[in-house]
């Protein structure tokens, strides 16, 4: 056990949060910030020893994570999503860093897993995410893809974590719809410009090329094609929604 606060944002995650928490039992605090779950998420978390706080997210991931940081009991924090698992190797590495108090913003390799098929390129290629850092002077800002702000130098851990992306296509497409709406609203708030040909015609095509060809989505066969095409539509739809947000206000 090590003095680090694990922070998990959750809403209706009864199928996954148990395994997530169990993978983090190396920590002396597991803090779940619950966004109004109506299933057994809270019950499961408490049964496994987590401290649960209730707060409405309202689409603002950054504010929710910053709230978690402020509520953390220890000087080190580790972010993990309810659909992720910390591997034993990663847990040991985190213990070592925190015990030695080696200050830094630690990035961790995340291996994405899709329940239906194996895909390791394109959209589901492994990525690095910022997850472990001292609590002091750290905060998060942003809606759909929040950015963690810290004064510490960036470092990488050797061990990896797992991310179990989607259980079914309905969940996948519902999330795509929700994320594109939030992205469009954020872009509008930031006064991001939107042109029909540049952003709705050409930008999605480039997004597909980048995922399918440059990031080798083609190596994942049928699934690589499906996910790359969906990335095309994700990119297009967030700009379509932004375009019509402006149009409804008479700005286009």
């Amino acid at each position: 056990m090590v003095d680090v606060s694990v922070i998990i944002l959750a809403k209706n995650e009864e199928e996954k949060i148990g395994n997530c928490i169990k993978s983090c039992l190396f920590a002396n605090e597991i803090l779940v910030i619950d966004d109004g779950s109506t299933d057994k998420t809270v019950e499961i978390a408490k049964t496994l020893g987590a401290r649960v706080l209730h707060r409405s997210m309202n689409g603002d991931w950054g504010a929710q994570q910053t709230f978690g940081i402020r509520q953390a009991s220890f000087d080190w924090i580790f972010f993990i999503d309810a659909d992720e698992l910390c591997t034993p190797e990663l847990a040991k590495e985190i213990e070592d860093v925190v015990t030695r108090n080696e200050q830094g913003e630690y990035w961790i390799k995340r291996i994405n897993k899709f329940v239906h098929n194996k895909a390791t390129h394109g959209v589901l290629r492994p990525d690095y995410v910022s997850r472990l850092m001292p609590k002091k002077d750290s905060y998060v800002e942003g809606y759909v893809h929040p950015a963690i702000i810290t004064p510490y130098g960036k470092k990488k851990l050797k061990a990896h974590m797992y991310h179990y992306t989607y259980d079914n296509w309905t969940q996948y497409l519902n999330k795509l719809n929700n994320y594109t709406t939030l992205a469009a609203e954020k872009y509008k708030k930031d006064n991001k410009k939107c042109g029909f040909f540049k952003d709705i015609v050409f930008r999605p095509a480039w997004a597909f090329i980048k995922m399918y060809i440059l990031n080798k989505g083609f190596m994942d066969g049928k699934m690589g094609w499906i996910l790359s095409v969906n990335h095309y539509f994700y990119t297009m739809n967030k700009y379509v929604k932004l375009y019509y947000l402006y149009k409804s206000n008479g700005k286009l």
Side-chain angles (χ1 to χ4, degrees):
M1 302 287 284
V2 66
D3 288 345
V4 59
S5 294
V6 176
I7 300 174
I8 306 171
L9 305 190
K11 182 174 183 178
N12 295 333
E13 294 285 359
E14 65 179 6
E15 298 295 329
K16 295 180 179 179
I17 197 164
N19 287 333
C20 175
I21 291 174
K22 289 175 184 176
S23 75
C24 296
L25 293 179
F26 62 88
N28 274 325
E29 178 178 57
I30 296 177
L31 179 59
V32 174
I33 312 299
D34 182 68
D35 180 23
S37 292
T38 56
D39 63 3
K40 295 182 179 180
T41 296
V42 172
E43 178 185 338
I44 293 170
K46 288 182 176 179
T47 298
L48 292 172
R51 179 161 70 102
V52 179
L53 298 177
H54 301 276
R55 184 179 187 274
S56 177
M57 185 187 296
N58 291 322
D60 192 339
W61 275 266
Q64 194 83 331
Q65 288 179 306
T66 298
F67 174 79
I69 292 173
R70 301 293 177 259
Q71 300 302 316
S73 302
F74 296 108
D75 292 335
W76 279 85
I77 53 174
F78 173 57
F79 283 112
I80 189 168
D81 294 341
D83 59 358
E84 295 174 339
L85 294 181
C86 179
T87 60
E89 296 80 8
L90 178 59
K92 180 62 170 63
E93 201 169 357
I94 291 172
E95 288 180 11
D96 292 342
V97 167
V98 173
T99 300
R100 293 195 299 266
N101 198 31
E102 295 179 347
Q103 305 270 302
E105 177 192 4
Y106 288 88
W107 290 66
I108 299 167
K109 185 178 183 179
R110 180 173 61 174
I111 297 177
N112 298 293
K113 289 183 173 290
F114 193 83
V115 69
H116 298 292
N117 291 275
K118 180 180 179 180
T120 57
H121 302 85
V123 176
L124 292 185
R125 70 194 184 282
D127 58 344
Y128 276 87
V129 287
S130 173
R131 293 301 176 84
L132 176 68
M133 67 219 64
K135 171 182 174 179
K136 182 177 172 58
D137 297 325
S138 296
Y139 62 96
V140 189
E141 57 184 28
Y143 281 69
V144 182
H145 300 293
I148 297 175
I149 312 298
T150 79
Y152 308 100
K154 293 183 178 181
K155 300 180 181 181
K156 286 184 178 180
L157 296 181
K158 295 179 181 178
H160 62 269
M161 65 195 308
Y162 288 115
H163 176 213
Y164 292 85
T165 52
Y166 307 101
D167 293 329
N168 53 67
W169 287 110
T170 298
Q171 184 188 64
Y172 176 96
L173 294 171
N174 285 341
K175 209 163 192 177
L176 185 148
N177 183 49
N178 184 41
Y179 277 25
T180 53
T181 297
L182 292 172
E185 291 171 349
K186 181 182 185 300
Y187 288 165
K188 183 175 181 293
K189 182 179 178 181
D190 295 340
N191 295 314
K192 183 178 178 66
K193 294 181 179 179
C194 180
F196 185 85
F197 287 102
K198 176 187 175 184
D199 296 310
I200 296 177
V201 177
F202 296 113
R203 192 185 290 272
W206 168 244
F208 171 83
I209 291 169
K210 187 166 70 171
M211 287 300 163
Y212 191 66
I213 298 176
L214 299 184
N215 290 322
K216 301 181 180 180
F218 63 87
M219 294 185 69
D220 290 327
K222 295 176 182 177
M223 183 55 60
W225 172 264
I226 291 169
L227 293 174
S228 297
V229 170
N230 280 340
H231 188 65
Y232 171 98
F233 283 109
Y234 168 84
T235 305
M236 185 185 73
N237 278 305
K238 66 181 179 180
Y239 284 101
V240 167
K241 291 178 180 180
L242 176 62
Y243 184 84
Y244 281 97
L245 281 175
Y246 282 132
K247 201 171 181 64
S248 65
N249 291 336
K251 294 186 176 181
L252 287 177

